[in-house]
Amino acid sequence: MQEGKACSFDVVVVGAGIAGCTAARELARYDLSICVLEAGNDIACGATRANSAIVHAGFDPVPGTLKARFNVEGSKAYPRWCDELGVQFRHNGSMVLAFDDEGRLKLDELARRAQANGVEGVHIVSGDRAREMEPNVSPEAACALVAPTGGIVDPYGFAFAAAENACGNGVRFLFNHRVERIVRADGGFRVEVAGERFSARAVVNAAGLFADEMNNMVSGKRFSITPRRGEYYLYDTEYATTFEHTMFQVPGPLGKGVLVTPTIHGNMLIGPNSVSQASKTDLSTTQEGLADIVERARRTWPAASPRGAITNFAGLRAAGESGDFVIGEAADAPGFFNIACFESPGLTSAPAVATFIASQVAARLGAGSNPSFNPRRAPQLPFTAMTDEQRERAIASDPAFGHVVCRCCEVTEAEVVRALHGPLPVLSLDAIKWRTGATMGRCHGGFCSPELVEIMSRELGCAPDAIDKRLAGSRMIASARADYVELVRAGGSPSKGEAPEEADARHAASEVRRSELGAPARIEGSFDVVVIGGGAAGMAAAASARRAGAARVAMVDREERPGGVLKQCVHNGFGLHRMKAELTGPEYAAQEEQAVIDASVICEYGVSVLRIDDEGSGKLVVGTRFGAELFLHAKAVVLATGSRERGLGALGIAGARPSGVYTAGCAQNFMNLQGLVPGSTAVVLGSGDIGLIMARRMSLSGIRVLGVYEIMPFSSGLRRNIVQCLDDFGIPLHLSRTVVRLEGETRLNAVVVADVNPATRRPIEGTEERVPCDTLVLSCGLIPENEVAKTAGVTLSPITGGAVVDERLATSVPGIFACGNALHVHDLADFASEEGERAGASAAAFARGDTSAATRTKGVPSESSIEVVAGKGVRYVVPQVISRDAEEPVTLSFRVSDVIEGVRFEVRSCDDAGAGEVLARARDMVAVPAEMRRMKVDAGSLAGCSRIVVSAVSGLAARQVPATEGGAR
């Protein structure tokens, strides 16, 4: 709309949250012209985006109130609305726990309210019955109220579907349109937005926290809204089955208390607290608030802790003075309709309130029905929910369905592109997140953000430095190369380090394969060994398997070129052990790739493996790539799937959620592969090697690096990197100091750091310091990536996060082997490659039917194996078991749990009484957790052992003694 231009509509809806979107959809049933004005850059920018995502049964509101009426009506309407709009909804039921006689009286009161409000099926059960229904309920629970009609839904998804349906029925949506003034004019209203005027016969005030301000512009019946902050922890999908019901505690004066609930997407949520505040825009979390909700959640779920959380967030509720909704036409302002003070149960009530308001507006304006109104929205089945046959059809219709962009949530390029060109505009990366699920997984966009930025640039024609993360002004990148859009539109893929001609060749090859196979696109093949992952370990495993006699070996990797993270590691320091030369990451990858080519390994790139099925005589590896779905039959499989970085959500840092926060690998991709500059002034959190290297890289690019902050009293990076990356560039390293808070509503403008108690590893109150910066780079550790392993039922270690294996690197599932960072995190690519060689050779032996390889124990402790235990001073040891008939020397890889000076390593046999003999011994000046150690044990010395223990203790006499030949390295 042009500056100063005026437009006329029958109805203007102010606000595109759940209230505005559902009202717009219901208004579209009538013969009216309708416009929705939203201050933010997307729908659901306020309370709708950050709440408990619950459809309440209706037993809590006081009978006779608007909350009671619309809660029950809305709850009953949800199944129909979700069916019409193609939105997921589940009646999971709710349960309210009481812990004493006073609580029981409150449950009796809730049961009476339920009856008065017309809520069906509500009943009270004993504590024992509650634990039968929900085994993780606290033993302290004395009884519980059960409401089977409670449900869960995706609030954003529901609002978006309503908005899209409204849009399809002629409603116009305008974003970044903050209403500044509403005045009565010409029998209606004039709504003013900066430089624009809208005239309307009626106004629907669905402005959320700002609804009081809208009302008070036109009505003498003034009211005020108090923002009430609620903080939450969202947990990984691994916790999805912890509870089936939404678990409440008996309500108090500020609401229904801290709840524990599954979400419709398979996560788990705890929260909220309730804290009144002055600001209507500050969504910052606090350390105190987050600690409070965990402590209070333990009353329901004793095991509650921040562990397993993938993010924390806060939402604001619009609390009115009366405690009830303000719904309907203002008595002294005909044509002005309020949906205000719409706190809980607002989400539940929205369909019923929308129907009521639309009918009131239509009656006021004398509007007839819209004969062309279509209540249905075609459901868009997510790729992750498709069957194999549905995926084949989808890929045949659009090859981009075969390209998975977000590995955590299995979101494809086709789904992202479809969202970008939908009826409602995409004006931020978070809009893609909420509409497709991309970046919503455990890595929170650490892997896929660079490619998503690239796709948005290509499809929308905007440079990365014009793309917002969340709110307007929350730029993803500080500056971009001038030819970026031209490059990606020519077919290049900077996020993959791919030039346009390389991309053209890849897509052409894919089209040839598709034309040969016909549609639906499907590739099948049979192999002796399939290696999943083409990084250092995977390439070494594939070449090794061929050298060990496997006739047909396939290596699949999700990227278009092998090498994994090595491709973006342009610094040197690789290959010193394995190749006796100092190489850059790309140079090291090139040598390993040449070995794969020389071994005649069949390589399939751009493949995202979705699962491994058991076929009895072997394994079926199922994956997709651009233009095809792959079904690879294998006698043996090697997992070399690498690792992911620990993201912001897993760190529990409080504060705002601005742009400008990157994992080190994400920043490395933006800078080294795409030529983008993330910011101007940076802080690095965590002293892992990649963080140290990125500190140097940013300094070389002109970014001012203020310091590296490490929570531990020692660095988690190698000493040489501290010298070369920090000392040589004058970048300070702050040990026992960490980031405790982020500041910045749009872009990061400061971090707050604090000293850490070395004993408790908790921040010390009173030591906080504000450090202004616009970029925070996280180097807080790597986590083995084992989602594919889980689909095969592989047993994982709770310590390493990788598979439990024996000396052959065989997992608990016969025929599946693991190596590299997928097994345990390595500090040197050289050692990951060596491990890959062992896994590849073992897989080849298994595939050949080698009797010893096929009949040995699986990689779990048993009577036919020797258990390997981490003893004093050692965090973990790999392998965790050794076969009793092992013939070759066994390499034990381990890390110490703390800095140990004058360290003495020892491998000792251990009987049931704790006695045993020393099997191997080594010494060194110092051992640090950042450096993986390895020791070899002769197979012959293991005869008669049932358990061996690896320990690391301080021995001052060892200070002047060099490491023994063949000892720990």
Side-chain angles (χ1 to χ4, degrees):
M1 187 176 291
Q2 295 177 355
E3 180 93 11
K5 185 177 180 181
C7 278
S8 297
F9 294 92
D10 292 319
V11 185
V12 164
V13 179
V14 182
I18 190 69
C21 291
T22 53
R25 188 236 185 185
E26 289 303 286
L27 285 164
R29 293 179 180 273
Y30 299 93
D31 188 16
L32 297 166
S33 59
I34 306 153
C35 180
V36 179
L37 302 178
E38 167 56 44
N41 58 4
D42 193 13
I43 63 109
C45 283
T48 303
R49 188 169 296 194
N51 59 69
S52 302
I54 293 165
V55 176
H56 293 281
F59 55 77
D60 185 57
V62 176
T65 61
L66 292 175
K67 285 186 176 181
R69 170 190 168 182
F70 289 118
N71 184 337
V72 176
E73 290 180 8
S75 181
K76 291 178 179 178
Y78 254 89
R80 174 177 60 81
W81 274 62
C82 289
D83 175 67
E84 291 177 348
L85 297 175
V87 175
Q88 265 190 295
F89 170 73
R90 186 166 100 236
H91 272 130
N92 67 315
S94 53
M95 188 180 290
V96 186
L97 299 178
F99 301 89
D100 50 30
D101 292 342
E102 182 181 353
R104 171 61 196 240
L105 294 176
K106 291 183 178 180
L107 293 190
D108 290 338
E109 171 60 22
L110 290 179
R112 287 190 289 272
R113 288 187 185 183
Q115 185 175 16
N117 291 340
V119 183
E120 299 176 351
V122 173
H123 60 285
I124 295 175
V125 300
S126 68
D128 288 340
R129 176 57 182 149
R131 281 179 284 278
E132 288 177 9
M133 298 171 70
E134 295 286 0
N136 291 307
V137 161
S138 167
E140 302 300 319
C143 53
L145 179 141
V146 179
T149 57
I152 51 178
V153 74
D154 172 9
Y156 180 96
F158 187 75
F160 178 75
E164 200 169 63
N165 182 245
C167 189
N169 282 292
V171 175
R172 186 174 182 183
F173 283 78
L174 295 175
F175 298 102
N176 293 318
H177 277 62
R178 182 178 297 278
V179 172
E180 298 174 343
R181 191 172 179 223
I182 304 175
V183 296
R184 301 189 203 190
D186 303 324
F189 300 88
R190 186 173 72 249
V191 182
E192 298 180 2
V193 178
E196 300 176 37
R197 299 186 306 279
F198 300 82
S199 61
R201 297 166 61 201
V203 170
V204 175
N205 174 21
L209 287 156
F210 299 90
D212 55 345
E213 299 173 26
M214 302 298 120
N215 173 83
N216 298 345
M217 291 178 186
V218 299
S219 173
K221 295 185 177 298
R222 302 167 71 87
F223 59 83
S224 65
I225 287 174
T226 299
R228 190 172 289 162
R229 185 181 73 247
E231 295 163 88
Y232 295 88
Y233 268 121
L234 181 69
Y235 288 81
D236 194 284
T237 51
E238 292 180 354
Y239 292 80
T241 58
T242 305
F243 291 98
E244 169 61 24
H245 293 75
T246 295
M247 308 299 299
F248 296 102
Q249 300 165 4
V250 285
L254 294 178
K256 293 174 279 295
V258 168
L259 57 85
V260 181
T261 183
T263 72
I264 199 70
H265 297 302
N267 301 90
M268 190 175 72
L269 188 71
I270 68 170
N273 54 359
S274 182
V275 181
S276 296
Q277 64 180 47
S279 173
K280 292 185 176 183
T281 59
D282 184 4
L283 295 172
S284 300
T285 57
T286 65
Q287 291 290 351
E288 298 79 13
L290 294 173
D292 176 59
I293 62 172
V294 170
E295 184 60 33
R296 292 166 62 190
R298 288 190 181 119
R299 201 173 190 201
T300 297
W301 177 37
S305 80
R307 183 177 177 83
I310 60 173
T311 192
N312 64 72
F313 63 92
L316 296 178
R317 288 161 275 177
E321 299 155 297
S322 70
D324 202 3
F325 296 153
V326 176
I327 304 292
E329 189 173 30
D332 60 345
F336 187 89
F337 297 84
N338 280 309
I339 306 177
C341 305
F342 209 46
E343 60 177 337
S344 180
L347 172 65
T348 307
S349 305
V353 169
T355 301
F356 172 76
I357 288 292
S359 65
Q360 278 206 327
V361 172
R364 166 61 66 184
L365 301 183
S369 62
N370 175 7
S372 63
F373 177 77
N374 179 10
R376 304 199 72 84
R377 169 181 172 267
Q380 297 174 340
L381 186 65
F383 182 80
T384 186
M386 293 180 184
T387 64
D388 290 339
E389 292 74 20
Q390 289 170 326
R391 284 174 176 152
E392 287 181 30
R393 290 196 293 271
I395 293 168
S397 66
D398 183 351
F401 269 108
H403 176 212
V404 174
V405 175
C406 174
R407 64 182 72 174
C408 296
C409 299
E410 293 181 3
V411 179
T412 66
E413 181 181 356
E415 291 170 294
V416 173
V417 171
R418 181 173 62 193
L420 288 170
H421 297 293
L424 296 173
V426 171
L427 302 175
S428 69
L429 185 67
D430 272 13
I432 287 293
K433 174 176 82 171
W434 290 98
R435 297 181 196 188
T436 68
T439 80
M440 271 195 172
R442 55 182 59 87
C443 87
H444 270 260
F447 281 126
C448 61
S449 288
E451 188 171 2
L452 288 170
V453 167
E454 175 189 309
I455 293 172
M456 290 180 71
S457 293
R458 182 190 74 205
E459 297 296 322
L460 303 179
C462 58
D465 52 2
I467 294 174
D468 287 324
K469 169 69 173 68
R470 186 170 65 95
L471 303 175
S474 60
R475 293 291 193 251
M476 280 292 298
I477 290 295
S479 63
R481 50 195 288 180
D483 64 343
Y484 189 94
V485 174
E486 180 183 355
L487 175 64
V488 296
R489 286 195 156 176
S493 179
S495 66
K496 305 186 187 84
E498 189 175 47
E501 57 271 17
E502 293 175 307
D504 290 343
R506 172 169 56 83
H507 286 290
S510 177
E511 288 301 312
V512 170
R513 295 289 295 273
R514 292 184 71 230
S515 64
E516 292 173 349
L517 293 163
R522 182 185 179 102
I523 295 175
E524 286 203 56
S526 296
F527 301 89
D528 293 310
V529 177
V530 170
V531 179
I532 303 174
M539 289 189 287
S544 174
R546 281 287 289 135
R547 291 194 300 268
R552 283 178 57 80
V553 176
M555 183 181 76
V556 298
D557 189 74
R558 59 169 59 94
E559 299 184 14
E560 306 302 340
R561 296 163 56 194
V565 73
L566 292 169
K567 298 191 298 294
Q568 63 192 50
C569 297
V570 297
H571 54 280
N572 57 13
F574 297 89
L576 292 171
H577 292 267
R578 182 168 169 80
M579 299 166 184
K580 309 305 178 186
E582 188 169 16
L583 308 173
T584 66
E587 290 169 343
Y588 184 95
Q591 290 206 23
E592 292 286 14
E593 182 183 7
Q594 189 58 52
V596 169
I597 295 170
D598 292 344
S600 299
V601 173
I602 299 168
C603 299
E604 295 284 356
Y605 297 126
V607 175
S608 291
V609 173
L610 306 178
R611 68 179 192 273
I612 301 174
D613 294 340
D614 189 356
E615 293 188 304
S617 60
K619 308 297 176 189
L620 176 63
V621 178
V622 180
T624 64
R625 73 172 188 198
F626 186 89
E629 188 167 18
L630 287 79
F631 298 87
L632 308 180
H633 306 270
K635 296 176 182 177
V637 173
V638 177
L639 297 170
T641 46
S643 59
R644 60 181 171 86
E645 294 175 279
R646 184 173 280 106
L648 177 66
L651 301 179
I653 298 175
R657 289 294 170 266
S659 64
V661 182
Y662 313 88
T663 61
C666 181
Q668 193 177 55
N669 185 301
F670 277 134
M671 295 185 72
N672 293 353
L673 296 184
Q674 302 202 51
L676 306 175
V677 179
S680 61
T681 308
V683 163
V684 178
L685 177 60
S687 60
D689 289 314
I690 188 173
L692 303 178
I693 290 163
M694 282 307 297
R696 176 178 63 183
R697 179 70 178 88
M698 288 189 289
S699 292
L700 291 171
S701 298
I703 299 172
R704 185 181 172 213
V705 181
L706 301 177
V708 175
Y709 292 81
E710 169 58 58
I711 192 172
M712 302 298 286
F714 50 82
S715 172
S716 56
L718 297 175
R719 179 60 195 167
R720 74 171 186 227
N721 284 330
I722 296 174
V723 173
Q724 295 174 1
C725 301
L726 301 188
D727 296 349
D728 290 353
F729 287 82
I731 300 171
L733 172 60
H734 304 276
L735 299 177
S736 294
R737 199 157 170 76
T738 192
V739 174
V740 296
R741 186 175 178 82
L742 307 182
E743 295 183 2
E745 192 169 308
T746 53
R747 177 80 186 194
L748 181 72
N749 59 45
V751 298
V752 176
V753 299
D755 291 342
V756 174
N757 185 319
T760 64
R761 294 176 185 169
R762 298 188 65 81
I764 301 172
E765 190 174 349
T767 65
E768 296 84 1
E769 176 188 359
R770 186 176 185 271
V771 181
C773 60
D774 66 3
T775 303
L776 175 64
V777 173
L778 306 173
S779 176
C780 300
L782 300 174
I783 302 170
E785 185 68 43
N786 277 301
E787 294 312 296
V788 175
K790 292 175 187 176
T791 68
V794 171
T795 300
L796 301 180
S797 163
I799 306 298
T800 65
V804 175
V805 295
D806 65 13
E807 78 283 359
R808 299 167 301 126
L809 304 181
T811 71
S812 60
V813 177
I816 297 182
F817 301 79
C819 60
N821 280 2
L823 180 59
H824 61 125
V825 174
H826 293 63
D827 40 272
L828 295 177
D830 304 53
F831 292 165
S833 294
E834 289 180 20
E835 203 169 72
E837 285 189 327
R838 279 194 283 147
S842 297
F846 185 93
R848 292 197 314 268
D850 183 298
T851 304
S852 60
T855 60
R856 285 179 183 172
T857 180
K858 297 178 288 184
V860 291
S862 68
E863 292 184 359
S864 60
S865 67
I866 302 165
E867 184 180 6
V868 183
V869 178
K872 184 177 181 180
V874 174
R875 175 166 168 73
Y876 73 81
V877 186
V878 172
Q880 291 88 350
V881 295
I882 300 172
S883 304
R884 290 186 181 276
D885 58 353
E887 298 173 352
E888 301 292 330
V890 177
T891 298
L892 302 176
S893 300
F894 60 95
R895 289 182 188 269
V896 295
S897 54
D898 208 337
V899 175
I900 305 175
E901 294 186 348
V903 65
R904 186 171 61 227
F905 301 105
E906 195 173 80
V907 181
R908 180 185 291 271
S909 64
C910 184
D911 58 25
D912 292 339
E917 298 180 358
V918 174
L919 307 179
R921 181 181 284 141
R923 296 176 177 176
D924 206 346
M925 298 287 290
V926 65
V928 295
E931 187 175 351
M932 188 179 78
R933 296 288 180 145
R934 303 194 301 172
M935 293 181 70
K936 284 192 176 182
V937 178
D938 290 335
S941 68
L942 298 172
C945 293
S946 61
R947 182 186 297 111
I948 63 172
V949 178
V950 181
S951 60
V953 297
S954 178
L956 296 181
R959 280 183 176 273
Q960 306 301 322
V961 181
T964 57
E965 183 70 25
R969 292 185 175 181

